[in-house]
Short mmCIF file of all heavy atoms in Angstrom, two decimals:
data_model
loop_
_atom_site.label_atom_id
_atom_site.label_comp_id
_atom_site.label_asym_id
_atom_site.label_seq_id
_atom_site.Cartn_x
_atom_site.Cartn_y
_atom_site.Cartn_z
N VAL A 1 4.51 -0.10 -13.73
CA VAL A 1 3.14 0.05 -14.19
C VAL A 1 2.91 -0.98 -15.29
O VAL A 1 3.72 -1.10 -16.21
CB VAL A 1 2.86 1.46 -14.73
CG1 VAL A 1 1.40 1.59 -15.16
CG2 VAL A 1 3.20 2.50 -13.67
N PHE A 2 1.81 -1.72 -15.17
CA PHE A 2 1.49 -2.78 -16.12
C PHE A 2 0.30 -2.39 -16.98
O PHE A 2 -0.63 -1.73 -16.51
CB PHE A 2 1.21 -4.09 -15.38
CG PHE A 2 2.38 -4.60 -14.59
CD1 PHE A 2 2.48 -4.34 -13.23
CD2 PHE A 2 3.39 -5.31 -15.20
CE1 PHE A 2 3.56 -4.78 -12.50
CE2 PHE A 2 4.49 -5.77 -14.48
CZ PHE A 2 4.57 -5.51 -13.11
N GLU A 3 0.34 -2.80 -18.23
CA GLU A 3 -0.74 -2.50 -19.16
C GLU A 3 -1.87 -3.51 -18.95
O GLU A 3 -1.82 -4.65 -19.39
CB GLU A 3 -0.22 -2.60 -20.60
CG GLU A 3 -1.17 -2.01 -21.63
CD GLU A 3 -1.32 -0.51 -21.51
OE1 GLU A 3 -0.29 0.18 -21.43
OE2 GLU A 3 -2.48 -0.04 -21.49
N SER A 4 -2.88 -3.08 -18.23
CA SER A 4 -4.03 -3.93 -17.93
C SER A 4 -5.21 -3.05 -17.55
O SER A 4 -5.05 -2.08 -16.80
CB SER A 4 -3.72 -4.90 -16.79
OG SER A 4 -4.89 -5.61 -16.41
N GLU A 5 -6.38 -3.38 -18.06
CA GLU A 5 -7.56 -2.58 -17.76
C GLU A 5 -8.09 -2.84 -16.37
O GLU A 5 -8.91 -2.07 -15.86
CB GLU A 5 -8.65 -2.86 -18.80
CG GLU A 5 -9.15 -4.28 -18.81
CD GLU A 5 -10.19 -4.52 -19.90
OE1 GLU A 5 -10.30 -3.69 -20.81
OE2 GLU A 5 -10.90 -5.54 -19.80
N GLN A 6 -7.65 -3.90 -15.71
CA GLN A 6 -8.09 -4.16 -14.35
C GLN A 6 -7.47 -3.14 -13.40
O GLN A 6 -6.25 -2.93 -13.41
CB GLN A 6 -7.70 -5.58 -13.91
CG GLN A 6 -8.50 -6.67 -14.59
CD GLN A 6 -8.46 -7.96 -13.81
OE1 GLN A 6 -7.79 -8.07 -12.80
NE2 GLN A 6 -9.18 -8.95 -14.29
N ALA A 7 -8.29 -2.52 -12.58
CA ALA A 7 -7.82 -1.47 -11.67
C ALA A 7 -7.20 -2.10 -10.42
O ALA A 7 -7.81 -2.13 -9.35
CB ALA A 7 -8.97 -0.54 -11.29
N ASN A 8 -5.99 -2.59 -10.57
CA ASN A 8 -5.30 -3.28 -9.48
C ASN A 8 -4.02 -2.56 -9.09
O ASN A 8 -3.39 -1.88 -9.90
CB ASN A 8 -4.95 -4.71 -9.88
CG ASN A 8 -6.14 -5.65 -9.79
OD1 ASN A 8 -7.14 -5.33 -9.15
ND2 ASN A 8 -6.03 -6.79 -10.43
N ALA A 9 -3.62 -2.76 -7.84
CA ALA A 9 -2.33 -2.31 -7.34
C ALA A 9 -1.92 -3.28 -6.24
O ALA A 9 -2.76 -3.90 -5.60
CB ALA A 9 -2.43 -0.89 -6.78
N PHE A 10 -0.61 -3.43 -6.04
CA PHE A 10 -0.14 -4.33 -5.00
C PHE A 10 1.26 -3.93 -4.58
O PHE A 10 1.97 -3.18 -5.27
CB PHE A 10 -0.12 -5.79 -5.50
CG PHE A 10 0.84 -6.04 -6.64
CD1 PHE A 10 2.17 -6.34 -6.40
CD2 PHE A 10 0.41 -5.97 -7.96
CE1 PHE A 10 3.06 -6.55 -7.45
CE2 PHE A 10 1.28 -6.19 -9.01
CZ PHE A 10 2.62 -6.48 -8.75
N ALA A 11 1.68 -4.40 -3.42
CA ALA A 11 3.05 -4.26 -2.96
C ALA A 11 3.42 -5.57 -2.29
O ALA A 11 2.61 -6.18 -1.58
CB ALA A 11 3.19 -3.11 -1.97
N LEU A 12 4.65 -6.04 -2.53
CA LEU A 12 5.10 -7.33 -2.05
C LEU A 12 6.25 -7.17 -1.07
O LEU A 12 6.98 -6.17 -1.10
CB LEU A 12 5.57 -8.19 -3.23
CG LEU A 12 4.51 -8.48 -4.29
CD1 LEU A 12 5.17 -9.11 -5.52
CD2 LEU A 12 3.45 -9.41 -3.73
N PRO A 13 6.44 -8.14 -0.18
CA PRO A 13 7.59 -8.10 0.72
C PRO A 13 8.89 -7.89 -0.07
O PRO A 13 9.07 -8.46 -1.14
CB PRO A 13 7.56 -9.47 1.39
CG PRO A 13 6.11 -9.87 1.36
CD PRO A 13 5.60 -9.35 0.05
N GLY A 14 9.77 -7.09 0.46
CA GLY A 14 10.99 -6.76 -0.25
C GLY A 14 10.90 -5.42 -0.94
O GLY A 14 11.91 -4.87 -1.39
N GLY A 15 9.68 -4.86 -1.05
CA GLY A 15 9.52 -3.53 -1.64
C GLY A 15 9.19 -3.53 -3.11
O GLY A 15 9.41 -2.52 -3.79
N TYR A 16 8.63 -4.61 -3.64
CA TYR A 16 8.26 -4.68 -5.05
C TYR A 16 6.80 -4.25 -5.20
O TYR A 16 5.91 -4.83 -4.57
CB TYR A 16 8.46 -6.10 -5.58
CG TYR A 16 9.85 -6.61 -5.36
CD1 TYR A 16 10.16 -7.36 -4.23
CD2 TYR A 16 10.87 -6.32 -6.26
CE1 TYR A 16 11.44 -7.83 -4.01
CE2 TYR A 16 12.16 -6.78 -6.05
CZ TYR A 16 12.44 -7.53 -4.91
OH TYR A 16 13.72 -7.97 -4.71
N MET A 17 6.56 -3.24 -6.04
CA MET A 17 5.21 -2.68 -6.16
C MET A 17 4.75 -2.70 -7.61
O MET A 17 5.55 -2.58 -8.54
CB MET A 17 5.18 -1.24 -5.64
CG MET A 17 5.55 -1.12 -4.17
SD MET A 17 5.59 0.62 -3.62
CE MET A 17 7.14 1.17 -4.35
N GLY A 18 3.45 -2.84 -7.80
CA GLY A 18 2.88 -2.81 -9.14
C GLY A 18 1.57 -2.08 -9.15
O GLY A 18 0.83 -2.06 -8.15
N ILE A 19 1.27 -1.44 -10.27
CA ILE A 19 -0.01 -0.75 -10.45
C ILE A 19 -0.39 -0.88 -11.91
O ILE A 19 0.47 -0.85 -12.80
CB ILE A 19 0.12 0.74 -10.02
CG1 ILE A 19 -1.25 1.43 -10.04
CG2 ILE A 19 1.12 1.48 -10.86
CD1 ILE A 19 -1.23 2.79 -9.37
N ASN A 20 -1.66 -1.10 -12.16
CA ASN A 20 -2.13 -1.28 -13.52
C ASN A 20 -2.65 0.03 -14.11
O ASN A 20 -3.13 0.91 -13.38
CB ASN A 20 -3.25 -2.32 -13.57
CG ASN A 20 -2.75 -3.72 -13.28
OD1 ASN A 20 -1.55 -3.96 -13.19
ND2 ASN A 20 -3.68 -4.66 -13.12
N THR A 21 -2.57 0.12 -15.43
CA THR A 21 -3.04 1.34 -16.10
C THR A 21 -4.54 1.56 -15.88
O THR A 21 -5.00 2.69 -15.92
CB THR A 21 -2.76 1.27 -17.62
OG1 THR A 21 -3.28 0.04 -18.14
CG2 THR A 21 -1.26 1.34 -17.90
N GLY A 22 -5.28 0.48 -15.62
CA GLY A 22 -6.70 0.63 -15.34
C GLY A 22 -6.97 1.51 -14.14
O GLY A 22 -7.96 2.26 -14.11
N LEU A 23 -6.09 1.45 -13.15
CA LEU A 23 -6.26 2.29 -11.97
C LEU A 23 -5.86 3.72 -12.26
O LEU A 23 -6.49 4.67 -11.77
CB LEU A 23 -5.42 1.73 -10.82
CG LEU A 23 -5.69 2.30 -9.43
CD1 LEU A 23 -7.17 2.21 -9.08
CD2 LEU A 23 -4.85 1.58 -8.39
N LEU A 24 -4.84 3.91 -13.09
CA LEU A 24 -4.43 5.27 -13.47
C LEU A 24 -5.53 5.96 -14.27
O LEU A 24 -5.70 7.18 -14.17
CB LEU A 24 -3.15 5.23 -14.30
CG LEU A 24 -1.88 4.71 -13.61
CD1 LEU A 24 -0.69 4.82 -14.55
CD2 LEU A 24 -1.61 5.46 -12.31
N GLN A 25 -6.27 5.20 -15.05
CA GLN A 25 -7.36 5.77 -15.83
C GLN A 25 -8.51 6.21 -14.93
O GLN A 25 -9.17 7.21 -15.22
CB GLN A 25 -7.84 4.76 -16.86
CG GLN A 25 -6.82 4.48 -17.97
CD GLN A 25 -7.18 3.29 -18.82
OE1 GLN A 25 -8.23 2.67 -18.62
NE2 GLN A 25 -6.33 2.96 -19.77
N LEU A 26 -8.72 5.49 -13.84
CA LEU A 26 -9.79 5.86 -12.91
C LEU A 26 -9.40 7.06 -12.05
O LEU A 26 -10.25 7.85 -11.67
CB LEU A 26 -10.14 4.68 -12.00
CG LEU A 26 -10.98 3.55 -12.61
CD1 LEU A 26 -11.16 2.44 -11.60
CD2 LEU A 26 -12.34 4.09 -13.04
N ALA A 27 -8.11 7.17 -11.75
CA ALA A 27 -7.66 8.23 -10.85
C ALA A 27 -6.33 8.79 -11.33
O ALA A 27 -5.29 8.54 -10.72
CB ALA A 27 -7.53 7.68 -9.43
N PRO A 28 -6.32 9.57 -12.42
CA PRO A 28 -5.07 10.13 -12.96
C PRO A 28 -4.61 11.36 -12.19
O PRO A 28 -4.39 12.43 -12.76
CB PRO A 28 -5.46 10.47 -14.40
CG PRO A 28 -6.91 10.84 -14.30
CD PRO A 28 -7.49 9.94 -13.23
N ASP A 29 -4.48 11.23 -10.89
CA ASP A 29 -4.16 12.36 -10.01
C ASP A 29 -3.11 11.89 -9.01
O ASP A 29 -3.24 10.82 -8.42
CB ASP A 29 -5.44 12.79 -9.29
CG ASP A 29 -5.20 13.80 -8.20
OD1 ASP A 29 -5.15 14.99 -8.49
OD2 ASP A 29 -5.03 13.35 -7.03
N GLN A 30 -2.06 12.70 -8.83
CA GLN A 30 -0.95 12.25 -8.00
C GLN A 30 -1.37 11.97 -6.55
O GLN A 30 -0.87 11.01 -5.94
CB GLN A 30 0.19 13.27 -8.00
CG GLN A 30 -0.11 14.60 -7.33
CD GLN A 30 1.15 15.41 -7.03
OE1 GLN A 30 2.25 15.04 -7.45
NE2 GLN A 30 1.00 16.51 -6.30
N ASP A 31 -2.27 12.75 -6.00
CA ASP A 31 -2.65 12.56 -4.61
C ASP A 31 -3.48 11.29 -4.43
O ASP A 31 -3.31 10.55 -3.46
CB ASP A 31 -3.44 13.78 -4.11
CG ASP A 31 -2.60 15.04 -4.13
OD1 ASP A 31 -1.50 15.04 -3.55
OD2 ASP A 31 -3.03 16.03 -4.75
N GLN A 32 -4.39 11.02 -5.37
CA GLN A 32 -5.20 9.81 -5.26
C GLN A 32 -4.34 8.56 -5.45
O GLN A 32 -4.51 7.56 -4.74
CB GLN A 32 -6.33 9.85 -6.29
CG GLN A 32 -7.38 10.92 -6.01
CD GLN A 32 -8.54 10.85 -6.97
OE1 GLN A 32 -9.12 9.79 -7.21
NE2 GLN A 32 -8.90 11.99 -7.55
N ILE A 33 -3.43 8.58 -6.41
CA ILE A 33 -2.56 7.43 -6.62
C ILE A 33 -1.61 7.27 -5.44
O ILE A 33 -1.27 6.15 -5.04
CB ILE A 33 -1.77 7.58 -7.93
CG1 ILE A 33 -2.74 7.54 -9.12
CG2 ILE A 33 -0.75 6.46 -8.07
CD1 ILE A 33 -3.57 6.26 -9.23
N ALA A 34 -1.19 8.37 -4.83
CA ALA A 34 -0.35 8.30 -3.64
C ALA A 34 -1.08 7.58 -2.51
O ALA A 34 -0.46 6.85 -1.72
CB ALA A 34 0.08 9.70 -3.20
N SER A 35 -2.39 7.78 -2.42
CA SER A 35 -3.15 7.09 -1.38
C SER A 35 -3.18 5.59 -1.62
O SER A 35 -3.14 4.79 -0.68
CB SER A 35 -4.57 7.67 -1.28
OG SER A 35 -5.36 7.28 -2.39
N VAL A 36 -3.23 5.19 -2.89
CA VAL A 36 -3.22 3.76 -3.24
C VAL A 36 -1.84 3.16 -2.93
O VAL A 36 -1.74 2.13 -2.25
CB VAL A 36 -3.56 3.55 -4.72
CG1 VAL A 36 -3.36 2.08 -5.12
CG2 VAL A 36 -4.99 3.98 -5.01
N ILE A 37 -0.79 3.80 -3.43
CA ILE A 37 0.56 3.26 -3.23
C ILE A 37 0.93 3.30 -1.75
O ILE A 37 1.55 2.36 -1.23
CB ILE A 37 1.58 4.05 -4.07
CG1 ILE A 37 1.25 3.91 -5.56
CG2 ILE A 37 3.00 3.55 -3.79
CD1 ILE A 37 2.14 4.74 -6.48
N GLY A 38 0.55 4.36 -1.05
CA GLY A 38 0.84 4.46 0.37
C GLY A 38 0.16 3.34 1.14
O GLY A 38 0.75 2.75 2.06
#
């Protein structure tokens, strides 16, 4: 998780994933974030 107000998330080949705190602030719910990461 990266400290950034931009509501971004990504996953890269090899299994490297990132999500910004801006997205957690918009959706601080495990099911909603699971939909993003999934």
Side-chain angles (χ1 to χ4, degrees):
V1 182
F2 298 97
E3 193 67 49
S4 173
E5 63 183 16
Q6 289 200 357
N8 281 343
F10 64 86
L12 300 169
Y16 305 94
M17 299 177 285
I19 187 168
N20 291 352
T21 52
L23 192 53
L24 296 183
Q25 291 169 2
L26 283 177
D29 171 86
Q30 68 164 7
D31 297 306
Q32 292 185 49
I33 295 301
S35 72
V36 173
I37 298 176

